[in-house]
Amino acid sequence: MAVAVKTKETSEVQTEQLMTGCEAIAEAIRLADVDVMAAFPIRPYDTVMQAAAKLIANGKLDCEYIVADGEHSQFEIVKHACAVGSRVFVGSSGVGWFYAFEAIAVTAGLRLPVVAICGNRALDDPGAFGTEHNDSLAVRDLGWLLPWAETAQECLDLALMAWRVGEDARVSLPVAIGLDGGFLTHSQQLVSVPTRAATDAFLPKFDLGDRLLHPDNPITIAPQVDQDWLMEIRRQNDAAMRRAIDVITEAHADFKKLFGRGGDSPFLDEYMTDDADVVFFGQGTLALPMKVAIRRLRAEGHKVGLVRLKWFRPFPTDEVVKSLSRFKAVGVVDRDYSFGSPHYGGVLYNEVRSALYSREQRPTIVGFVAGLGGREIDQSMAREIYEKTAAAATGGLSAGDQCHWIGVRE
Amino acid sequence: MKMAVETATGTGTLPQIKGVKEVPYDELFVSGHRTCQGCESALVMRHMVKAAGPRTIVLGSTGCMYVANTTYYSTPWVVPWMHTQLGASGSAALGTAAGLKVLMRKGKLKDEKINVIAFCGDGGGADMGIGAISAALTHKEYDLLVLLYDNESYANTDIQLSSQTPWGAVTTFSPTGSERRIMHTRWKKNVPGMLAAGHPESRYIAAGCAAYAVDLMNKIRKALEVGGPTFVHTLDPCPKGWDYHPQYSQELGHLAVEAGIWPLYEVLDGVVNLTGPTRQIAEGRKKRKPVEEYLRRQGRFAHFTKEDVEHFQAEVDKMWEEWLIPGVIPFTIPQKDVTLLNIDKKKPLHATA
């Protein structure tokens, strides 16, 4: 439950309140005037559904709130509500996300801008509640836009961005915001909450145009196309994903103008990188312990910084290449695994390597798998990551020693 | 936006059809599909939207009536139509109905009655999608109809058995062989009875058959008119899956009902009403035909021995002679409790209907 220890008017367009990442998403749901949402319990994402239910119970949100019989139904319900013109919200975590997988796949195929959160959680078996990014990452090839939040503030901001970008006719793709389970879904932080009027200035009304399923527009959606047309349709999804880069950039600029937040780049958040030789690269709440480590390492004279990825899909290749080419070595920290992948690295590691492959001037890249199952990445682990990356920068690591598991009891 | 076709049934009210001459002329399911010759399920689709009229949205889950029915560039649907996943007919209906309701409440869409119908086959409905249909039938705040067209197998994928395939029938997952004559040994799930018994807030649940077209269209209309979440289950003879000549589809539909294998009925606000020949049988005005007349017309039962036919007959007899409500509710009551429950099984069941 949100404990509003203080509510202060910070400006005409927003107020400040203490809330968790999930509660911040619920505030965004209220501000976006969501029409239909579907809930099903699984930790840790489900506190967003609890917070939204309370908003409805208190008359602050007018929304069809359907408690579904499972995650597959949850995602099907909002998909179909979206097809008749509703702004929708849904979410899940871990194996629940996988239970919905068929519906998740077709939502992207249908180009329906469903907005979801994935409260990132380790997949069973064996059971674990904590953060791992493999649930969200499993949909990386399907046409979902995948931003990752670091703070409760960013949860709210990214949610508003999600409806704006996803519903934009140039994109019309679903969006799933990654929230690290526990660390972000359940941790309270101060959040600036926009006013409804300011939100309306940022977020236009949802309009499906001539794709609306309605008796006045009797279209047939998703007939059997077979080999005759599927490739052209896939190509359209590809084009929409490519256009998303510009649409995100536009939305980010508008957001910054209205609310004064969001940083310089819509895609990357850089911390102490100006003179850095070595940087950490990762996404989500990983940034917090790494920033602490960076301050301590810098106090000892090490030139180290952090580049945090805000959008995994579309992968901002140009921005990533431009940024990382400036450094001698990059330590990519994956809160995920990809068993049997090239060099046995994490997903992010191989994405970054792929992005940089064609560049003549490219940094040494070292991969780290850390913090699985929600294990805390502590300062000794951060230091180990730094030392290995710095050693690679000076040729101290062999080519066959590129990927490391950090903090594992052997 | 284009205007949908104007028809006499486009007023939003759906009166009961008194005879074949009152059936709407307009076709809302037209040419452009490639279903098999003699496909009774395609006829169900045609009757379904004919009865519902043009202010209707249809959601179709994967199965014959998706794959064979809806090819890109040649849709047979005059009404808006959208695909949904195999097990998602209940959720599709729910999401569509919820979306329309909230958009009309918020003034984002013109407030009018729009029928929401989601259909599924027996595989999508009775097997994979039963949970979502069950959930949908508990949401009395939404107007929706789930129609299950039952051709008694996964007919689109090569005739594999479903929970609606009759006992003993040959399918590609239950062939007959030299060692095992009968591979499929499960009795058909009683879907409409189960849904009617288990969903007190669904006002209308019915079992129909396109061989009784007016009866079926009236059931569709009643389901849409009473509102809330409703369910109609049709038995659809399938030449490909049941292995008979396409010209006999209607005849086999009649035989299934006349042999008492597929009782026609409706449950409106908890009151059972037997319809068509089923009612005549229950009232003693018509004799049930032997199941053998039905079974021997189909290749899928060609391997049946005399004992197999007798077993089938005995199970159908049980439905009529022992069930609490013949063909609908399968419990039996000890003789000593019949008076207690004030049920006289000798009297017609539907005196008040």
Side-chain angles (χ1 to χ4, degrees):
Chain A
M1 289 295 101
V3 184
V5 289
K6 63 172 180 177
T7 299
K8 119 180 153 195
E9 301 282 335
T10 52
S11 75
E12 281 176 15
V13 295
Q14 48 202 345
T15 58
E16 214 169 59
Q17 293 172 43
L18 189 66
M19 61 181 73
T20 67
C22 275
E23 286 161 353
I25 297 278
E27 282 299 300
I29 290 167
R30 178 181 63 78
L31 291 167
D33 187 27
V34 162
D35 298 311
V36 178
M37 52 197 293
F40 190 80
I42 185 168
R43 282 189 275 189
Y45 106 95
D46 56 359
T47 48
V48 70
M49 294 300 179
Q50 297 167 27
K54 197 73 185 165
L55 289 173
I56 293 168
N58 287 335
K60 291 181 179 167
L61 171 64
D62 180 12
C63 173
E64 296 300 303
Y65 182 91
I66 300 173
V67 180
D69 61 304
E71 288 89 353
H72 186 276
S73 292
Q74 239 189 311
F75 280 72
E76 281 291 331
I77 286 166
V78 295
K79 180 194 92 183
H80 284 280
C82 189
V84 293
S86 313
R87 176 169 285 164
V88 300
F89 177 80
V90 72
S92 194
S93 286
V95 289
W97 183 256
F98 272 59
Y99 196 74
F101 216 94
E102 181 192 39
I104 286 173
V106 295
T107 299
L110 288 163
R111 302 278 303 278
L112 288 171
V114 167
V115 169
I117 67 162
C118 186
N120 296 130
R121 168 178 173 170
L123 296 165
D124 293 354
D125 262 344
F129 289 125
T131 298
E132 265 175 25
H133 290 170
N134 282 78
D135 44 8
S136 285
L137 287 173
V139 310
R140 66 182 169 150
D141 303 324
L142 302 179
W144 280 73
L145 275 59
L146 300 173
W148 251 275
E150 181 197 357
T151 61
Q153 183 69 64
E154 209 173 31
C155 289
L156 189 151
D157 298 352
L158 277 176
L160 297 179
M161 288 273 286
W163 282 294
R164 159 105 177 224
V165 173
E167 292 173 0
D168 189 299
R170 292 167 290 175
V171 177
S172 204
L173 286 170
V175 188
I177 306 162
L179 271 69
D180 286 353
F183 298 126
L184 188 48
T185 56
H186 286 64
S187 300
Q188 285 188 324
Q189 296 161 6
L190 270 181
V191 175
S192 285
V193 181
T195 61
R196 185 69 180 269
T199 307
D200 289 348
F202 173 72
L203 185 59
K205 290 197 179 343
F206 178 37
D207 181 8
L208 261 177
D210 61 5
R211 294 169 56 217
L212 184 75
L213 191 70
H214 189 274
D216 289 341
N217 187 47
I219 52 174
T220 291
I221 298 178
Q224 190 82 9
V225 294
D226 299 325
Q227 70 278 19
D228 286 349
W229 286 104
L230 192 59
M231 200 153 169
E232 284 69 24
I233 291 165
R234 293 275 186 258
R235 180 65 174 158
Q236 288 182 1
N237 284 40
D238 174 67
M241 190 58 99
R242 288 165 189 257
R243 288 193 295 267
I245 290 277
D246 285 345
V247 176
I248 291 167
T249 306
E250 260 176 48
H252 176 260
D254 282 355
F255 193 92
K256 206 174 163 186
K257 207 188 308 173
L258 264 166
F259 304 110
R261 286 193 302 277
D264 296 334
S265 158
F267 300 105
L268 301 175
D269 173 23
E270 298 205 5
Y271 182 75
M272 293 195 175
T273 56
D274 284 349
D275 62 340
D277 294 327
V278 169
V279 292
F280 304 125
F281 187 88
Q283 53 189 11
T285 58
L286 168 80
L288 188 65
M290 298 322 261
K291 283 175 182 171
V292 173
I294 288 165
R295 289 196 293 271
R296 292 184 183 178
L297 287 160
R298 280 197 170 258
E300 296 168 23
H302 303 288
K303 289 182 178 174
V304 56
L306 168 79
V307 178
R308 180 175 63 90
L309 184 66
K310 292 197 271 190
W311 291 80
F312 179 82
R313 285 288 182 273
F315 194 84
T317 312
D318 293 344
E319 287 77 1
V320 168
V321 167
K322 201 173 149 206
S323 167
L324 297 189
S325 302
R326 291 150 46 209
F327 312 113
K328 287 183 183 153
V330 178
V332 180
V333 187
D334 271 286
R335 210 160 206 157
D336 61 77
Y337 49 85
S338 180
F339 300 132
S341 68
H343 308 290
Y344 302 97
V347 173
L348 205 50
Y349 164 77
N350 274 308
E351 295 266 326
V352 170
R353 278 175 64 92
S354 167
L356 286 160
Y357 178 76
S358 57
R359 303 292 291 201
E360 284 200 8
Q361 192 194 337
R362 59 189 180 217
T364 300
I365 298 170
V366 191
F368 300 95
V369 172
L372 296 188
R375 182 169 294 185
E376 194 183 338
I377 297 174
D378 65 23
Q379 290 305 303
S380 67
M381 295 177 198
R383 183 171 287 268
E384 186 184 346
I385 291 168
Y386 170 73
E387 282 166 1
K388 284 199 158 67
T389 311
T394 54
L397 275 182
S398 68
D401 199 14
Q402 293 163 332
C403 293
H404 307 269
W405 284 55
I406 298 297
V408 184
R409 291 190 293 270
E410 299 288 356
Chain B
M1 282 187 205
K2 296 181 289 285
M3 281 301 294
V5 289
E6 304 277 347
T7 79
T9 55
T11 57
T13 56
L14 301 169
Q16 290 286 287
I17 298 162
K18 295 204 181 64
V20 75
K21 286 182 182 168
E22 280 190 21
V23 172
Y25 178 75
D26 305 273
E27 298 292 352
L28 301 174
F29 175 77
V30 295
S31 60
H33 56 91
R34 49 186 180 85
T35 55
C36 308
Q37 201 177 29
C39 175
E40 200 80 346
S41 297
L43 205 55
V44 169
M45 296 294 114
R46 180 182 167 203
H47 294 338
M48 175 185 86
V49 277
K50 199 183 248 297
R55 304 308 280 176
T56 300
I57 292 174
V58 179
L59 298 321
S61 74
T62 311
C64 287
M65 292 302 106
Y66 170 49
V67 176
N69 227 349
T70 319
T71 305
Y72 190 42
Y73 270 179
S74 66
T75 182
W77 296 101
V78 177
V79 293
W81 186 94
M82 181 176 176
H83 175 226
T84 192
Q85 295 313 109
L86 183 56
S89 56
S91 310
L94 206 50
T96 305
L100 292 175
K101 185 178 178 177
V102 65
L103 293 173
M104 289 179 194
R105 181 173 73 237
K106 290 184 179 178
K108 296 178 182 177
L109 212 56
K110 193 183 106 194
D111 194 359
E112 62 169 322
K113 170 86 190 254
I114 294 176
N115 303 311
V116 174
I117 306 177
F119 67 71
C120 53
D122 45 302
D127 289 345
M128 191 190 263
I130 192 80
I133 293 170
S134 173
L137 293 179
T138 64
H139 284 273
K140 67 174 175 186
E141 69 276 29
Y142 302 124
D143 296 335
L144 59 94
L145 165 63
V146 176
L147 182 138
L148 192 158
Y149 67 93
D150 176 7
N151 53 21
E152 299 195 318
S153 79
Y154 290 82
N156 174 57
T157 44
D158 254 355
I159 323 295
Q160 292 92 352
L161 73 85
S162 79
S163 65
Q164 296 299 282
T165 302
W167 178 89
V170 160
T171 68
T172 54
F173 280 0
S174 58
T176 186
S178 54
E179 288 297 316
R180 285 178 67 179
R181 190 180 71 261
I182 302 270
M183 285 271 283
H184 177 46
T185 55
R186 297 186 278 152
W187 196 257
K188 184 176 172 116
K189 222 192 249 188
N190 175 17
V191 172
M194 157 173 53
L195 294 180
H199 300 85
E201 298 199 299
S202 169
R203 291 190 58 199
Y204 189 80
I205 283 171
C209 179
Y212 301 91
V214 174
D215 178 77
L216 174 60
M217 282 189 258
N218 279 332
K219 283 170 176 164
I220 302 281
R221 285 193 159 189
K222 220 179 266 185
L224 296 170
E225 280 293 288
V226 302
T230 54
F231 177 82
V232 173
H233 187 142
T234 62
L235 181 76
D236 310 351
C238 167
K240 181 179 151 196
W242 299 11
D243 191 9
Y244 64 85
H245 192 283
Q247 68 177 316
Y248 298 122
S249 290
Q250 291 287 99
E251 210 173 316
L252 278 166
H254 289 144
L255 277 171
V257 173
E258 289 167 346
I261 295 166
W262 184 249
L264 301 177
Y265 63 91
E266 57 190 357
V267 185
L268 173 62
D269 291 329
V271 179
V272 178
N273 179 33
L274 305 180
T275 65
T278 306
R279 181 182 185 131
Q280 294 172 314
I281 293 168
E283 288 177 345
R285 290 192 282 127
K286 193 170 184 155
K287 258 188 87 133
R288 258 192 299 138
K289 288 188 174 167
V291 297
E292 189 164 13
E293 280 188 36
Y294 173 74
L295 300 176
R296 291 298 185 203
R297 300 287 297 273
Q298 304 168 53
R300 62 177 174 160
F301 301 116
H303 58 299
F304 268 25
T305 61
K306 189 166 162 288
E307 289 73 31
D308 296 335
V309 174
E310 281 168 6
H311 171 70
F312 206 106
Q313 184 68 62
E315 288 297 315
V316 174
D317 288 349
K318 244 191 255 173
M319 284 167 61
W320 284 87
E321 290 160 13
E322 294 177 26
W323 283 20
L324 184 61
I325 302 176
V328 184
I329 300 297
F331 310 114
T332 57
I333 312 168
Q335 194 54 43
K336 67 180 170 60
D337 289 340
V338 169
T339 341
L340 189 73
L341 293 175
N342 198 21
I343 289 173
D344 184 351
K345 294 184 78 177
K346 286 180 188 137
K347 279 191 184 163
L349 290 155
H350 31 70
T352 57

